[in-house]
Structures are given as C-alpha cells and as structure tokens.
Short mmCIF file of all heavy atoms in Angstrom, two decimals:
data_model
loop_
_atom_site.label_atom_id
_atom_site.label_comp_id
_atom_site.label_asym_id
_atom_site.label_seq_id
_atom_site.Cartn_x
_atom_site.Cartn_y
_atom_site.Cartn_z
N VAL A 18 36.05 17.03 24.18
CA VAL A 18 35.71 16.67 22.87
C VAL A 18 34.18 16.73 22.66
O VAL A 18 33.50 16.34 23.57
CB VAL A 18 36.14 15.11 22.61
CG1 VAL A 18 35.70 14.62 21.16
CG2 VAL A 18 37.63 14.93 22.86
N MET A 19 33.77 17.39 21.60
CA MET A 19 32.39 17.50 21.28
C MET A 19 31.81 16.19 20.83
O MET A 19 32.46 15.55 19.93
CB MET A 19 32.20 18.65 20.26
CG MET A 19 30.69 18.96 19.91
SD MET A 19 29.89 19.85 21.27
CE MET A 19 30.83 21.43 21.34
N THR A 20 30.65 15.84 21.33
CA THR A 20 29.92 14.69 20.81
C THR A 20 29.44 14.98 19.43
O THR A 20 29.26 16.07 18.99
CB THR A 20 28.78 14.28 21.72
OG1 THR A 20 27.79 15.41 21.81
CG2 THR A 20 29.26 14.03 23.15
N ASP A 21 29.18 13.82 18.73
CA ASP A 21 28.77 14.05 17.31
C ASP A 21 27.38 14.62 17.11
O ASP A 21 27.07 15.14 16.01
CB ASP A 21 28.73 12.66 16.57
CG ASP A 21 27.93 11.66 17.30
OD1 ASP A 21 27.35 11.87 18.33
OD2 ASP A 21 28.02 10.47 16.86
N ASP A 22 26.56 14.68 18.17
CA ASP A 22 25.37 15.52 18.02
C ASP A 22 25.51 16.89 18.56
O ASP A 22 24.55 17.59 18.48
CB ASP A 22 24.20 14.70 18.73
CG ASP A 22 24.50 14.52 20.24
OD1 ASP A 22 25.57 15.06 20.74
OD2 ASP A 22 23.72 13.75 20.89
N GLU A 23 26.81 17.31 19.04
CA GLU A 23 27.10 18.63 19.44
C GLU A 23 26.17 19.10 20.63
O GLU A 23 26.05 20.33 20.82
CB GLU A 23 27.02 19.57 18.29
CG GLU A 23 27.94 19.19 17.21
CD GLU A 23 28.06 20.37 16.11
OE1 GLU A 23 27.22 21.19 16.20
OE2 GLU A 23 28.87 20.19 15.17
N ASN A 24 25.65 18.05 21.31
CA ASN A 24 24.87 18.56 22.54
C ASN A 24 25.72 18.78 23.73
O ASN A 24 25.22 19.45 24.67
CB ASN A 24 23.85 17.46 22.82
CG ASN A 24 22.72 17.49 21.83
OD1 ASN A 24 22.41 18.54 21.21
ND2 ASN A 24 22.06 16.38 21.64
N MET A 25 26.78 18.15 23.81
CA MET A 25 27.63 18.45 25.04
C MET A 25 29.12 17.96 24.72
O MET A 25 29.38 17.37 23.67
CB MET A 25 27.07 17.48 26.17
CG MET A 25 27.19 15.95 25.87
SD MET A 25 26.61 14.94 27.29
CE MET A 25 27.85 15.29 28.54
N THR A 26 30.00 18.38 25.57
CA THR A 26 31.41 17.90 25.51
C THR A 26 31.63 16.82 26.56
O THR A 26 31.03 16.83 27.71
CB THR A 26 32.36 19.08 25.68
OG1 THR A 26 32.16 19.70 27.00
CG2 THR A 26 32.08 20.08 24.66
N VAL A 27 32.59 15.90 26.20
CA VAL A 27 33.09 14.88 27.18
C VAL A 27 34.54 14.98 27.26
O VAL A 27 35.21 15.70 26.51
CB VAL A 27 32.61 13.44 26.57
CG1 VAL A 27 31.12 13.31 26.55
CG2 VAL A 27 33.34 13.15 25.22
N LYS A 28 35.03 14.38 28.32
CA LYS A 28 36.42 14.37 28.61
C LYS A 28 37.04 12.90 28.71
O LYS A 28 37.18 12.39 29.80
CB LYS A 28 36.68 15.12 29.93
CG LYS A 28 36.35 16.56 29.94
CD LYS A 28 36.52 17.25 31.29
CE LYS A 28 36.07 18.76 31.25
NZ LYS A 28 36.39 19.41 32.51
N PRO A 29 37.33 12.40 27.46
CA PRO A 29 37.99 11.02 27.46
C PRO A 29 39.40 11.02 28.14
O PRO A 29 40.02 12.05 28.05
CB PRO A 29 38.06 10.69 25.96
CG PRO A 29 37.20 11.69 25.34
CD PRO A 29 37.18 12.89 26.17
N TYR A 30 39.71 9.94 28.72
CA TYR A 30 40.94 9.76 29.37
C TYR A 30 41.44 8.29 29.42
O TYR A 30 40.62 7.49 29.36
CB TYR A 30 41.03 10.43 30.62
CG TYR A 30 40.35 9.70 31.83
CD1 TYR A 30 40.86 8.86 32.61
CD2 TYR A 30 38.93 9.97 31.96
CE1 TYR A 30 40.15 8.22 33.63
CE2 TYR A 30 38.19 9.25 32.91
CZ TYR A 30 38.84 8.31 33.77
OH TYR A 30 38.23 7.65 34.75
N GLU A 31 42.66 8.19 29.61
CA GLU A 31 43.27 6.80 29.98
C GLU A 31 44.09 6.90 31.07
O GLU A 31 44.84 7.89 31.35
CB GLU A 31 44.07 6.32 28.63
CG GLU A 31 43.11 6.00 27.52
CD GLU A 31 43.83 5.42 26.29
OE1 GLU A 31 45.14 5.53 26.22
OE2 GLU A 31 43.23 4.96 25.41
N LEU A 32 44.17 5.80 31.88
CA LEU A 32 44.84 5.68 33.17
C LEU A 32 45.72 4.31 33.22
O LEU A 32 45.20 3.41 32.81
CB LEU A 32 43.98 5.89 34.34
CG LEU A 32 44.44 5.79 35.73
CD1 LEU A 32 45.41 7.08 36.00
CD2 LEU A 32 43.48 5.60 36.73
N GLY A 33 46.89 4.43 33.71
CA GLY A 33 47.64 3.21 33.94
C GLY A 33 48.40 3.39 35.22
O GLY A 33 49.02 4.31 35.54
N VAL A 34 48.37 2.31 36.02
CA VAL A 34 49.28 2.23 37.25
C VAL A 34 49.96 0.86 37.26
O VAL A 34 49.33 -0.15 36.90
CB VAL A 34 48.28 2.44 38.52
CG1 VAL A 34 47.19 1.25 38.54
CG2 VAL A 34 49.12 2.45 39.73
N ASP A 35 51.17 0.90 37.71
CA ASP A 35 51.96 -0.42 37.75
C ASP A 35 52.95 -0.41 38.87
O ASP A 35 53.36 0.62 39.35
CB ASP A 35 52.59 -0.61 36.42
CG ASP A 35 53.50 0.62 35.98
OD1 ASP A 35 54.26 1.14 36.70
OD2 ASP A 35 53.19 1.15 34.77
N VAL A 36 53.28 -1.50 39.29
CA VAL A 36 54.25 -1.78 40.30
C VAL A 36 55.21 -2.87 39.74
O VAL A 36 54.85 -3.77 39.04
CB VAL A 36 53.72 -2.37 41.64
CG1 VAL A 36 52.82 -1.16 42.25
CG2 VAL A 36 52.86 -3.48 41.48
N ALA A 37 56.51 -2.76 40.24
CA ALA A 37 57.46 -3.73 39.74
C ALA A 37 58.38 -4.07 40.89
O ALA A 37 58.75 -3.45 41.83
CB ALA A 37 58.36 -3.07 38.61
N TYR A 38 59.02 -5.30 40.73
CA TYR A 38 59.94 -5.78 41.67
C TYR A 38 61.26 -6.26 40.83
O TYR A 38 61.10 -6.98 39.86
CB TYR A 38 59.48 -7.05 42.44
CG TYR A 38 60.62 -7.72 43.18
CD1 TYR A 38 61.08 -7.16 44.40
CD2 TYR A 38 61.16 -8.87 42.79
CE1 TYR A 38 62.06 -7.82 45.14
CE2 TYR A 38 62.22 -9.63 43.56
CZ TYR A 38 62.65 -8.94 44.75
OH TYR A 38 63.56 -9.57 45.41
N SER A 39 62.45 -5.68 41.16
CA SER A 39 63.59 -6.02 40.44
C SER A 39 64.64 -6.55 41.43
O SER A 39 64.74 -6.16 42.58
CB SER A 39 64.13 -4.80 39.77
OG SER A 39 64.17 -3.72 40.66
N ARG A 40 65.49 -7.42 40.89
CA ARG A 40 66.54 -8.02 41.76
C ARG A 40 67.83 -8.29 40.96
O ARG A 40 67.81 -8.69 39.84
CB ARG A 40 66.12 -9.37 42.28
CG ARG A 40 67.08 -9.93 43.35
CD ARG A 40 66.47 -11.26 43.96
NE ARG A 40 67.45 -11.79 44.86
CZ ARG A 40 67.59 -11.50 46.15
NH1 ARG A 40 66.83 -10.60 46.70
NH2 ARG A 40 68.54 -11.98 46.96
N MET A 41 68.89 -7.88 41.58
CA MET A 41 70.24 -8.21 40.96
C MET A 41 70.57 -9.69 41.24
O MET A 41 70.62 -10.13 42.32
CB MET A 41 71.37 -7.32 41.76
CG MET A 41 72.64 -7.28 40.95
SD MET A 41 73.89 -6.26 41.76
CE MET A 41 73.09 -4.59 41.65
N LEU A 42 70.81 -10.41 40.10
CA LEU A 42 70.97 -11.75 40.12
C LEU A 42 72.60 -12.08 40.15
O LEU A 42 72.95 -13.22 40.50
CB LEU A 42 70.39 -12.49 39.01
CG LEU A 42 68.86 -12.28 38.92
CD1 LEU A 42 68.28 -13.11 37.70
CD2 LEU A 42 68.15 -12.87 40.09
N SER A 43 73.36 -11.17 39.71
CA SER A 43 74.74 -11.19 39.81
C SER A 43 75.27 -9.76 39.87
O SER A 43 74.55 -8.82 39.78
CB SER A 43 75.35 -12.01 38.60
OG SER A 43 75.25 -11.33 37.38
N GLU A 44 76.65 -9.59 39.87
CA GLU A 44 77.13 -8.26 39.85
C GLU A 44 76.85 -7.61 38.50
O GLU A 44 77.07 -6.33 38.45
CB GLU A 44 78.70 -8.34 40.15
CG GLU A 44 79.04 -8.72 41.48
CD GLU A 44 80.56 -8.72 41.77
OE1 GLU A 44 81.25 -8.54 40.79
OE2 GLU A 44 80.93 -9.03 42.82
N LYS A 45 76.52 -8.30 37.46
CA LYS A 45 76.41 -7.73 36.10
C LYS A 45 75.01 -7.85 35.57
O LYS A 45 74.72 -7.34 34.59
CB LYS A 45 77.43 -8.40 35.15
CG LYS A 45 78.78 -8.26 35.57
CD LYS A 45 79.82 -9.04 34.62
CE LYS A 45 81.25 -8.93 35.16
NZ LYS A 45 82.12 -9.68 34.24
N PHE A 46 74.16 -8.62 36.25
CA PHE A 46 72.89 -8.95 35.57
C PHE A 46 71.65 -8.86 36.57
O PHE A 46 71.86 -9.29 37.73
CB PHE A 46 72.93 -10.38 35.03
CG PHE A 46 71.63 -10.82 34.34
CD1 PHE A 46 71.35 -10.44 33.00
CD2 PHE A 46 70.75 -11.64 34.90
CE1 PHE A 46 70.32 -10.86 32.31
CE2 PHE A 46 69.59 -12.01 34.29
CZ PHE A 46 69.33 -11.61 32.94
N SER A 47 70.61 -8.31 36.06
CA SER A 47 69.42 -8.18 37.00
C SER A 47 68.15 -8.49 36.16
O SER A 47 68.19 -8.46 34.87
CB SER A 47 69.30 -6.73 37.49
OG SER A 47 69.15 -5.79 36.47
#
C-alpha cells in the first residue's frame, strides 16, 4: 500500500492464532 505522501510502500497485515479444547459430554453433545 502506498503511503499518503507517496514516499514509500508499506505492507499492512493481520495475524491470529488460537488453540481450543473440546470434550464430548454425552453421546450426542459436546
């Protein structure tokens, strides 16, 4: 992306990292 003064370009980005734990509480539900 060009900066508004057009002197240089930048590379904006977004990052996400996640972990989860899941468990079956019955034969039909988790």
Side-chain angles (χ1 to χ4, degrees):
V18 179
M19 184 71 68
T20 60
D21 50 4
D22 57 10
E23 299 186 356
N24 285 334
M25 63 178 295
T26 58
V27 295
K28 297 181 179 180
Y30 71 96
E31 293 182 344
L32 178 72
V34 59
D35 48 58
V36 295
Y38 170 77
S39 53
R40 184 176 181 85
M41 192 181 297
L42 302 179
S43 72
E44 293 182 352
K45 303 175 182 178
F46 185 78
S47 62

